[in-house]
Amino acid sequence: MDLYEHQARELFEEHGIPVPRAEITDSPKEAREIARRLGGRVVVKAQVKTGGRGKAGGVKLAADPAAAELTARQILGMDIKGHTVGKVMLAQPVDIDSEFYVSYVLDRAAGRFLAIASAEGGMEIEEVAACRPETVARILVDPVEGVTSAKAAEIADAAGLPPRTVDVLVRLWQVLVREDALLVEVNPLVRTRRGDILALDGKVTLDDNARFRQARWGDGPQEHHDPLEVEAAARGLNYVKLDGEVGVIGNGAGLVMSTLDVVAGSGARPADFLDIGGGASARIMADGLSVILSDPAVKSVFVNVFGGITACDAVADGIVSAVDSIRLTKPLVVRLDGNNAARGRAILRDRAHPLVEQVTTMDGAARRAAELARTA
Ligand code: GDP
Ligand code: MN
């Protein structure tokens, strides 16, 4: 789960990382009050879980409380890369001398954390890494040893950050460990004209496996932006919208992932994926199918099920009552294997729906679904 900037700021503050004074609101009137409390001049910042807000017009300086109200009114409701701004943070402005970049991110391949730091902060790090890779330091951090003062000094030195950032680097590691984060990023970390080091923008991604002990951030569902994802989430389905033309339904994340691969291998592109998990009840099937069929990009659907605890006959029953309860408008290719596969196949054969086809192998079914999508 990604946190909002103001939540990241709160964590930084709790762990002793210097941050500007700031408050959040969803009301322009209150923005004026906050600006007055903060001394008049403020930076008004859109709270959305995406970067590049500055470039998109979501970070603006307001000279006084009246301007803060006006600016807040402009930014609230704004669309930034598909995210609607519901809240703004008002922060005391800072006189920036230099901007740096620092982050810790899990490096799964290395089985370590990776510290990334650069004296060229402010811009998006991908851009810096592409244009001036020599300015970006990458140092592996042993998760057991962590970032000690010595390690922090090594990181600061490699990136050419001033020695005063060492304390922040150590504390940022503590944020990562104590808050169960997979990523902590400060961009920019700034040196002010007075020489103070301040975290001006923060991004924190928490490990969802630790949700049970991070209850303060809410247990709510992940943010969904695609309307179909919103609908699927409301029905309790694991659905992700992609940009191809073959709808994919499977049981279990592993099978669904390899289904995406075989669809791609057949020359088509998956339009989405839906993991029906262990429960392939008629209701889940009907809900899943209606979400997938309502996507105009979907030309054919590939249902790939390996019967385990939920046996194939139960899945077949689910498919039959789903196609009987919704109007099937697109071809369905079904591959059933595993527990009770023969009975499941017989159920579908007996129903003999003109738009439902069965193929017994995964590759064959993927090729057929791709072919149907092409000729649709
Ligand atoms: P992002 O665009 O979503 O990464 O939002 P940031 O919070 O990082 O803001 C973008 C840029 O706005 C920063 O890199 C700074 O250059 C500038 N900025 C943000 N806050 C302040 C501030 O208090 N004072 C000044 N002078 N610039 C700021
Ligand atoms: Mn930033």
Side-chain angles (χ1 to χ4, degrees), residues 13 34 45 48 61 66 68 76 102 112 130 140 175 177 180 183 225 254 258 289 301 308 333 346:
E13 192 170 36
I34 294 172
K45 310 181 77 175
V48 281
L61 193 71
L76 285 163
V102 296
R112 298 269 192 286
L140 284 173
V175 172
V177 173
D180 296 312
L183 164 84
H225 308 296
S258 38
L289 272 176
V301 181
V333 179

Side-chain angles (χ1 to χ4, degrees), residues 9 18 32 40 53 77-78 80 91 96 107 119 128 130 145 176 180 183 192 208 217 240 246 259 268 283 299 328 367:
R9 181 196 163 280
R32 180 193 283 251
R53 296 166 303 162
M78 192 185 253
I80 300 181
I96 300 176
D107 183 334
V128 181
E145 286 164 20
L176 179 105
D180 296 312
L183 164 84
T192 67
D208 284 336
W217 305 117
V240 175
V246 176
T259 307
R283 194 194 56 76
K299 303 292 182 234
L328 189 60
R367 275 198 300 276

Side-chain angles (χ1 to χ4, degrees), residues 31 36 46 89 112 129 135 137 141 150 153 169 194 269 307 316 322 345 359:
R36 191 168 293 141
M89 183 172 92
R112 298 269 192 286
T135 67
V141 177
L169 284 166
R194 296 175 40 198
R269 289 176 315 156
R345 291 172 191 163
V359 179

Side-chain angles (χ1 to χ4, degrees), residues 5 20 41-43 45-46 50-56 59 61 91-96 99 121-124 187-188 190 200-202:
E5 177 195 18
R41 248 167 62 96
V42 285
V43 183
K45 310 181 77 175
T50 180
R53 296 166 303 162
K55 267 193 212 152
V59 178
L61 193 71
Q92 261 182 353
V94 169
D95 270 334
I96 300 176
E99 301 186 86
M123 305 157 267
E124 279 175 49
N187 188 25
V190 303
L200 236 56
D201 180 19

